[in-house]
Structure formats: structure tokens, C-alpha cells
Amino acid sequence: MPEQPRVVLLKPLITSPLIEVGEFTYYDDPDDPTGANHRMDGPSTFPFPMIMPGVHIGSGAIVASGSVVVDDVPEYSIVGGNPARVIRRRLHEEEFARLMALAWWDWPLAHTTAHIRTIMSGSIDELESVAPPHS
């Protein structure tokens, strides 16, 4: 992403047909922006999270480094630990409902790109004002 040198989108890196990754799922590491390609030939992949098969990570969720995710992660929650547990929700119920209704991650790519600054740092009101009309 321009002006975001630490961000690596994961979808192009995942090649297993058994793993489904959203278009805007990313990895952010202040020391190594290519950390998504960590070594796997040792006994541990620490501090990266381990996500077990069949687990669904909800939209807007944050998974802490070193977590072992064995259960589905709710949308817009922060999870961590071994096994990973919900630490807290990122949003109040009203904000959560508004963002889920907007579903910006399903917008056409050109529209998302045109409004990336609002998506990254705008308010929910601002995001609603730039949302494409529903089809």
C-alpha cells in the first residue's frame, strides 16, 4: 500500500485452497514488513498467531501475536492468549451494527481505493458519507 510500508496484504501470499483470506486482511510489523513469510522449519512460529483449521476470524477482528485460536473470533473483537479468548470488543453495539451494515470490505476495489484514507482513519459518519449506493 502506498505510504504504508509496514503493511503486507495476506491474500496474495496464501496459496492453500483450504485457507480463505479476505481481500483486506493484513499483517503489520514495525520491524519486518515481510513477516508474514516467517520461517516454519523450527519448533515454533512465535510470535505469530496459530489459527486452527475451521476457525472463522470475523471482520475487523484483531488477533494478538502468539495466540492460539481454537474457536471462532467475533467481528470487531480483540483476542489473545492460549487458547485465545476475547479480551474486549473494539466498538459499542451501535458502532458495530453501522460498520457491519456498511461492509466496506465488499465495496468495489476502485471505490475502496478512492476512499482508503477515510477507511483507515475516518469516522463512521465519514465512512457512511462515502459509501457507494446499494445495488
Side-chain angles (χ1 to χ4, degrees):
M1 293 178 134
E3 300 178 31
Q4 300 297 320
R6 300 175 351 166
V7 174
V8 176
L9 294 174
L10 292 179
K11 188 162 187 158
L13 302 176
I14 304 298
T15 58
S16 171
L18 302 176
I19 300 172
E20 184 177 329
V21 177
E23 291 293 332
F24 301 103
T25 303
Y26 69 91
Y27 178 84
D28 184 347
D29 184 332
D31 299 318
D32 180 8
T34 60
N37 288 327
H38 58 277
R39 293 178 57 143
M40 294 179 50
D41 57 351
S44 173
T45 58
F46 178 82
F48 306 98
M50 179 184 300
I51 302 171
M52 302 308 288
V55 170
H56 173 81
I57 307 296
S59 298
I62 296 174
V63 179
S65 293
S67 299
V68 177
V69 184
V70 297
D71 293 313
D72 290 351
V73 175
E75 284 82 1
Y76 286 95
S77 63
I78 300 170
V79 299
N82 181 4
R85 299 281 184 245
V86 174
I87 297 168
R88 69 179 178 88
R89 296 296 297 250
R90 293 180 56 200
L91 305 165
H92 296 293
E93 247 350 273
E94 178 195 333
E95 296 169 320
F96 167 77
R98 289 170 69 193
L99 278 174
M100 292 304 292
L102 280 169
W104 66 263
W105 46 90
D106 290 333
W107 292 358
L109 185 56
H111 192 83
T112 302
T113 302
H115 299 286
I116 195 69
R117 290 282 168 225
T118 304
I119 292 168
M120 290 172 51
S121 59
S123 68
I124 298 173
D125 288 337
E126 291 169 325
L127 198 57
E128 287 173 332
S129 75
V130 299
H134 293 313
S135 51

mmCIF file of all heavy atoms in Angstrom, residues 86-113:
data_model
loop_
_atom_site.group_PDB
_atom_site.id
_atom_site.type_symbol
_atom_site.label_atom_id
_atom_site.label_comp_id
_atom_site.label_asym_id
_atom_site.label_seq_id
_atom_site.Cartn_x
_atom_site.Cartn_y
_atom_site.Cartn_z
ATOM 1 N N VAL A 86 -11.640 -13.710 23.957
ATOM 2 C CA VAL A 86 -11.979 -12.320 23.677
ATOM 3 C C VAL A 86 -11.497 -11.462 24.842
ATOM 4 O O VAL A 86 -11.839 -11.718 26.000
ATOM 5 C CB VAL A 86 -13.494 -12.132 23.468
ATOM 6 C CG1 VAL A 86 -13.837 -10.658 23.319
ATOM 7 C CG2 VAL A 86 -13.960 -12.915 22.244
ATOM 8 N N ILE A 87 -10.657 -10.480 24.522
ATOM 9 C CA ILE A 87 -10.160 -9.533 25.522
ATOM 10 C C ILE A 87 -11.176 -8.412 25.679
ATOM 11 O O ILE A 87 -11.514 -8.013 26.786
ATOM 12 C CB ILE A 87 -8.780 -8.988 25.112
ATOM 13 C CG1 ILE A 87 -7.773 -10.144 25.071
ATOM 14 C CG2 ILE A 87 -8.340 -7.864 26.041
ATOM 15 C CD1 ILE A 87 -6.445 -9.796 24.402
ATOM 16 N N ARG A 88 -11.640 -7.914 24.548
ATOM 17 C CA ARG A 88 -12.698 -6.904 24.563
ATOM 18 C C ARG A 88 -13.220 -6.718 23.158
ATOM 19 O O ARG A 88 -12.604 -7.130 22.187
ATOM 20 C CB ARG A 88 -12.208 -5.574 25.133
ATOM 21 C CG ARG A 88 -11.209 -4.836 24.258
ATOM 22 C CD ARG A 88 -10.804 -3.513 24.907
ATOM 23 N NE ARG A 88 -9.829 -2.807 24.145
ATOM 24 C CZ ARG A 88 -10.083 -1.948 23.159
ATOM 25 N NH1 ARG A 88 -11.320 -1.701 22.800
ATOM 26 N NH2 ARG A 88 -9.113 -1.334 22.522
ATOM 27 N N ARG A 89 -14.366 -6.077 23.067
ATOM 28 C CA ARG A 89 -14.929 -5.687 21.778
ATOM 29 C C ARG A 89 -14.312 -4.346 21.401
ATOM 30 O O ARG A 89 -14.041 -3.529 22.269
ATOM 31 C CB ARG A 89 -16.450 -5.570 21.856
ATOM 32 C CG ARG A 89 -17.181 -6.871 22.166
ATOM 33 C CD ARG A 89 -17.009 -7.936 21.094
ATOM 34 N NE ARG A 89 -17.547 -7.563 19.814
ATOM 35 C CZ ARG A 89 -18.615 -8.089 19.251
ATOM 36 N NH1 ARG A 89 -19.268 -9.039 19.853
ATOM 37 N NH2 ARG A 89 -19.030 -7.660 18.083
ATOM 38 N N ARG A 90 -14.104 -4.108 20.127
ATOM 39 C CA ARG A 90 -13.491 -2.860 19.670
ATOM 40 C C ARG A 90 -14.487 -1.717 19.600
ATOM 41 O O ARG A 90 -14.078 -0.556 19.591
ATOM 42 C CB ARG A 90 -12.883 -3.056 18.276
ATOM 43 C CG ARG A 90 -11.702 -4.001 18.260
ATOM 44 C CD ARG A 90 -11.139 -4.161 16.877
ATOM 45 N NE ARG A 90 -10.777 -2.870 16.298
ATOM 46 C CZ ARG A 90 -10.626 -2.653 14.999
ATOM 47 N NH1 ARG A 90 -10.801 -3.631 14.140
ATOM 48 N NH2 ARG A 90 -10.304 -1.467 14.560
ATOM 49 N N LEU A 91 -15.761 -2.017 19.523
ATOM 50 C CA LEU A 91 -16.776 -1.000 19.281
ATOM 51 C C LEU A 91 -17.982 -1.209 20.187
ATOM 52 O O LEU A 91 -18.242 -2.318 20.645
ATOM 53 C CB LEU A 91 -17.257 -1.074 17.832
ATOM 54 C CG LEU A 91 -16.204 -0.983 16.745
ATOM 55 C CD1 LEU A 91 -16.783 -1.425 15.415
ATOM 56 C CD2 LEU A 91 -15.677 0.436 16.656
ATOM 57 N N HIS A 92 -18.744 -0.140 20.377
ATOM 58 C CA HIS A 92 -20.039 -0.260 21.034
ATOM 59 C C HIS A 92 -21.000 -0.908 20.048
ATOM 60 O O HIS A 92 -20.786 -0.881 18.835
ATOM 61 C CB HIS A 92 -20.555 1.121 21.451
ATOM 62 C CG HIS A 92 -19.690 1.785 22.464
ATOM 63 N ND1 HIS A 92 -19.547 1.306 23.744
ATOM 64 C CD2 HIS A 92 -18.895 2.883 22.389
ATOM 65 C CE1 HIS A 92 -18.713 2.080 24.413
ATOM 66 N NE2 HIS A 92 -18.297 3.041 23.602
ATOM 67 N N GLU A 93 -22.087 -1.480 20.542
ATOM 68 C CA GLU A 93 -23.047 -2.192 19.701
ATOM 69 C C GLU A 93 -23.542 -1.360 18.526
ATOM 70 O O GLU A 93 -23.629 -1.859 17.411
ATOM 71 C CB GLU A 93 -24.244 -2.609 20.543
ATOM 72 C CG GLU A 93 -24.514 -4.064 20.808
ATOM 73 C CD GLU A 93 -23.764 -5.131 20.072
ATOM 74 O OE1 GLU A 93 -24.198 -5.509 18.974
ATOM 75 O OE2 GLU A 93 -22.771 -5.640 20.594
ATOM 76 N N GLU A 94 -23.869 -0.083 18.743
ATOM 77 C CA GLU A 94 -24.376 0.769 17.663
ATOM 78 C C GLU A 94 -23.312 0.950 16.579
ATOM 79 O O GLU A 94 -23.599 0.855 15.379
ATOM 80 C CB GLU A 94 -24.805 2.141 18.195
ATOM 81 C CG GLU A 94 -25.285 3.061 17.087
ATOM 82 C CD GLU A 94 -25.367 4.526 17.503
ATOM 83 O OE1 GLU A 94 -25.554 4.806 18.696
ATOM 84 O OE2 GLU A 94 -25.226 5.380 16.610
ATOM 85 N N GLU A 95 -22.068 1.214 16.979
ATOM 86 C CA GLU A 95 -20.975 1.395 16.007
ATOM 87 C C GLU A 95 -20.746 0.097 15.233
ATOM 88 O O GLU A 95 -20.547 0.113 14.015
ATOM 89 C CB GLU A 95 -19.687 1.791 16.722
ATOM 90 C CG GLU A 95 -19.754 3.125 17.412
ATOM 91 C CD GLU A 95 -18.566 3.353 18.317
ATOM 92 O OE1 GLU A 95 -18.132 2.400 19.007
ATOM 93 O OE2 GLU A 95 -18.074 4.489 18.336
ATOM 94 N N PHE A 96 -20.777 -1.012 15.942
ATOM 95 C CA PHE A 96 -20.597 -2.322 15.327
ATOM 96 C C PHE A 96 -21.661 -2.552 14.254
ATOM 97 O O PHE A 96 -21.352 -2.936 13.124
ATOM 98 C CB PHE A 96 -20.665 -3.403 16.411
ATOM 99 C CG PHE A 96 -20.801 -4.794 15.882
ATOM 100 C CD1 PHE A 96 -19.713 -5.462 15.352
ATOM 101 C CD2 PHE A 96 -22.022 -5.451 15.907
ATOM 102 C CE1 PHE A 96 -19.830 -6.745 14.856
ATOM 103 C CE2 PHE A 96 -22.155 -6.728 15.423
ATOM 104 C CZ PHE A 96 -21.063 -7.377 14.896
ATOM 105 N N ALA A 97 -22.919 -2.297 14.582
ATOM 106 C CA ALA A 97 -24.016 -2.505 13.641
ATOM 107 C C ALA A 97 -23.858 -1.620 12.401
ATOM 108 O O ALA A 97 -24.096 -2.069 11.271
ATOM 109 C CB ALA A 97 -25.357 -2.239 14.323
ATOM 110 N N ARG A 98 -23.446 -0.383 12.610
ATOM 111 C CA ARG A 98 -23.266 0.538 11.475
ATOM 112 C C ARG A 98 -22.153 0.060 10.545
ATOM 113 O O ARG A 98 -22.304 0.082 9.315
ATOM 114 C CB ARG A 98 -22.970 1.950 11.988
ATOM 115 C CG ARG A 98 -24.181 2.620 12.625
ATOM 116 C CD ARG A 98 -23.814 3.894 13.339
ATOM 117 N NE ARG A 98 -23.410 4.940 12.401
ATOM 118 C CZ ARG A 98 -22.808 6.069 12.778
ATOM 119 N NH1 ARG A 98 -22.544 6.301 14.060
ATOM 120 N NH2 ARG A 98 -22.472 6.967 11.885
ATOM 121 N N LEU A 99 -21.027 -0.368 11.117
ATOM 122 C CA LEU A 99 -19.917 -0.837 10.277
ATOM 123 C C LEU A 99 -20.266 -2.132 9.556
ATOM 124 O O LEU A 99 -19.908 -2.312 8.387
ATOM 125 C CB LEU A 99 -18.649 -1.015 11.111
ATOM 126 C CG LEU A 99 -17.876 0.257 11.354
ATOM 127 C CD1 LEU A 99 -16.711 0.003 12.304
ATOM 128 C CD2 LEU A 99 -17.367 0.854 10.061
ATOM 129 N N MET A 100 -20.961 -3.023 10.227
ATOM 130 C CA MET A 100 -21.339 -4.273 9.570
ATOM 131 C C MET A 100 -22.310 -3.985 8.417
ATOM 132 O O MET A 100 -22.241 -4.619 7.374
ATOM 133 C CB MET A 100 -21.950 -5.249 10.578
ATOM 134 C CG MET A 100 -20.936 -5.762 11.606
ATOM 135 S SD MET A 100 -19.459 -6.546 10.890
ATOM 136 C CE MET A 100 -20.177 -8.020 10.194
ATOM 137 N N ALA A 101 -23.199 -3.012 8.587
ATOM 138 C CA ALA A 101 -24.124 -2.635 7.517
ATOM 139 C C ALA A 101 -23.375 -2.004 6.343
ATOM 140 O O ALA A 101 -23.729 -2.228 5.185
ATOM 141 C CB ALA A 101 -25.191 -1.673 8.047
ATOM 142 N N LEU A 102 -22.312 -1.241 6.642
ATOM 143 C CA LEU A 102 -21.514 -0.620 5.574
ATOM 144 C C LEU A 102 -20.711 -1.651 4.787
ATOM 145 O O LEU A 102 -20.546 -1.516 3.581
ATOM 146 C CB LEU A 102 -20.542 0.405 6.164
ATOM 147 C CG LEU A 102 -21.115 1.755 6.496
ATOM 148 C CD1 LEU A 102 -20.119 2.560 7.322
ATOM 149 C CD2 LEU A 102 -21.476 2.500 5.232
ATOM 150 N N ALA A 103 -20.181 -2.655 5.480
ATOM 151 C CA ALA A 103 -19.374 -3.724 4.864
ATOM 152 C C ALA A 103 -18.418 -3.168 3.805
ATOM 153 O O ALA A 103 -18.400 -3.610 2.658
ATOM 154 C CB ALA A 103 -20.273 -4.808 4.277
ATOM 155 N N TRP A 104 -17.584 -2.206 4.192
ATOM 156 C CA TRP A 104 -16.681 -1.562 3.240
ATOM 157 C C TRP A 104 -15.777 -2.560 2.533
ATOM 158 O O TRP A 104 -15.332 -2.327 1.412
ATOM 159 C CB TRP A 104 -15.858 -0.457 3.925
ATOM 160 C CG TRP A 104 -14.905 -0.968 4.943
ATOM 161 C CD1 TRP A 104 -15.090 -1.026 6.295
ATOM 162 C CD2 TRP A 104 -13.612 -1.518 4.705
ATOM 163 N NE1 TRP A 104 -14.002 -1.583 6.903
ATOM 164 C CE2 TRP A 104 -13.078 -1.895 5.947
ATOM 165 C CE3 TRP A 104 -12.855 -1.740 3.554
ATOM 166 C CZ2 TRP A 104 -11.822 -2.478 6.079
ATOM 167 C CZ3 TRP A 104 -11.592 -2.316 3.685
ATOM 168 C CH2 TRP A 104 -11.107 -2.676 4.947
ATOM 169 N N TRP A 105 -15.491 -3.687 3.139
ATOM 170 C CA TRP A 105 -14.608 -4.702 2.550
ATOM 171 C C TRP A 105 -15.251 -5.356 1.336
ATOM 172 O O TRP A 105 -14.568 -6.019 0.571
ATOM 173 C CB TRP A 105 -14.228 -5.767 3.588
ATOM 174 C CG TRP A 105 -15.393 -6.269 4.382
ATOM 175 C CD1 TRP A 105 -16.200 -7.328 4.084
ATOM 176 C CD2 TRP A 105 -15.896 -5.692 5.583
ATOM 177 N NE1 TRP A 105 -17.188 -7.444 5.026
ATOM 178 C CE2 TRP A 105 -17.018 -6.451 5.973
ATOM 179 C CE3 TRP A 105 -15.526 -4.613 6.377
ATOM 180 C CZ2 TRP A 105 -17.767 -6.176 7.110
ATOM 181 C CZ3 TRP A 105 -16.264 -4.337 7.515
ATOM 182 C CH2 TRP A 105 -17.371 -5.119 7.878
ATOM 183 N N ASP A 106 -16.555 -5.147 1.132
ATOM 184 C CA ASP A 106 -17.237 -5.664 -0.052
ATOM 185 C C ASP A 106 -17.444 -4.597 -1.128
ATOM 186 O O ASP A 106 -18.033 -4.874 -2.163
ATOM 187 C CB ASP A 106 -18.612 -6.241 0.339
ATOM 188 C CG ASP A 106 -18.486 -7.533 1.140
ATOM 189 O OD1 ASP A 106 -17.478 -8.249 0.978
ATOM 190 O OD2 ASP A 106 -19.399 -7.816 1.936
ATOM 191 N N TRP A 107 -16.992 -3.379 -0.878
ATOM 192 C CA TRP A 107 -17.122 -2.323 -1.880
ATOM 193 C C TRP A 107 -16.261 -2.667 -3.096
ATOM 194 O O TRP A 107 -15.255 -3.380 -2.976
ATOM 195 C CB TRP A 107 -16.645 -0.993 -1.325
ATOM 196 C CG TRP A 107 -17.488 -0.399 -0.245
ATOM 197 C CD1 TRP A 107 -18.655 -0.880 0.279
ATOM 198 C CD2 TRP A 107 -17.206 0.813 0.469
ATOM 199 N NE1 TRP A 107 -19.108 -0.046 1.268
ATOM 200 C CE2 TRP A 107 -18.243 1.000 1.400
ATOM 201 C CE3 TRP A 107 -16.183 1.750 0.400
ATOM 202 C CZ2 TRP A 107 -18.284 2.086 2.265
ATOM 203 C CZ3 TRP A 107 -16.219 2.832 1.259
ATOM 204 C CH2 TRP A 107 -17.267 3.001 2.184
ATOM 205 N N PRO A 108 -16.607 -2.132 -4.266
ATOM 206 C CA PRO A 108 -15.734 -2.322 -5.435
ATOM 207 C C PRO A 108 -14.323 -1.795 -5.121
ATOM 208 O O PRO A 108 -14.166 -0.780 -4.441
ATOM 209 C CB PRO A 108 -16.411 -1.483 -6.521
ATOM 210 C CG PRO A 108 -17.840 -1.361 -6.079
ATOM 211 C CD PRO A 108 -17.801 -1.347 -4.576
ATOM 212 N N LEU A 109 -13.329 -2.492 -5.606
ATOM 213 C CA LEU A 109 -11.945 -2.145 -5.295
ATOM 214 C C LEU A 109 -11.609 -0.695 -5.641
ATOM 215 O O LEU A 109 -10.957 -0.002 -4.860
ATOM 216 C CB LEU A 109 -10.980 -3.096 -5.999
ATOM 217 C CG LEU A 109 -9.504 -2.922 -5.662
ATOM 218 C CD1 LEU A 109 -9.259 -3.033 -4.159
ATOM 219 C CD2 LEU A 109 -8.669 -3.944 -6.415
ATOM 220 N N ALA A 110 -12.073 -0.213 -6.771
ATOM 221 C CA ALA A 110 -11.781 1.174 -7.159
ATOM 222 C C ALA A 110 -12.376 2.160 -6.149
ATOM 223 O O ALA A 110 -11.749 3.164 -5.808
ATOM 224 C CB ALA A 110 -12.309 1.463 -8.559
ATOM 225 N N HIS A 111 -13.564 1.868 -5.655
ATOM 226 C CA HIS A 111 -14.211 2.751 -4.673
ATOM 227 C C HIS A 111 -13.455 2.691 -3.345
ATOM 228 O O HIS A 111 -13.215 3.719 -2.704
ATOM 229 C CB HIS A 111 -15.676 2.349 -4.478
ATOM 230 C CG HIS A 111 -16.465 3.366 -3.733
ATOM 231 N ND1 HIS A 111 -17.016 4.469 -4.345
ATOM 232 C CD2 HIS A 111 -16.777 3.466 -2.415
ATOM 233 C CE1 HIS A 111 -17.644 5.201 -3.440
ATOM 234 N NE2 HIS A 111 -17.517 4.608 -2.264
ATOM 235 N N THR A 112 -13.060 1.492 -2.940
ATOM 236 C CA THR A 112 -12.283 1.327 -1.709
ATOM 237 C C THR A 112 -10.975 2.094 -1.808
ATOM 238 O O THR A 112 -10.592 2.819 -0.889
ATOM 239 C CB THR A 112 -12.002 -0.165 -1.453
ATOM 240 O OG1 THR A 112 -13.251 -0.852 -1.373
ATOM 241 C CG2 THR A 112 -11.221 -0.373 -0.172
ATOM 242 N N THR A 113 -10.297 1.957 -2.928
ATOM 243 C CA THR A 113 -9.017 2.643 -3.129
ATOM 244 C C THR A 113 -9.197 4.158 -3.087
ATOM 245 O O THR A 113 -8.401 4.868 -2.479
ATOM 246 C CB THR A 113 -8.392 2.208 -4.466
ATOM 247 O OG1 THR A 113 -8.231 0.786 -4.444
ATOM 248 C CG2 THR A 113 -7.044 2.861 -4.686
#
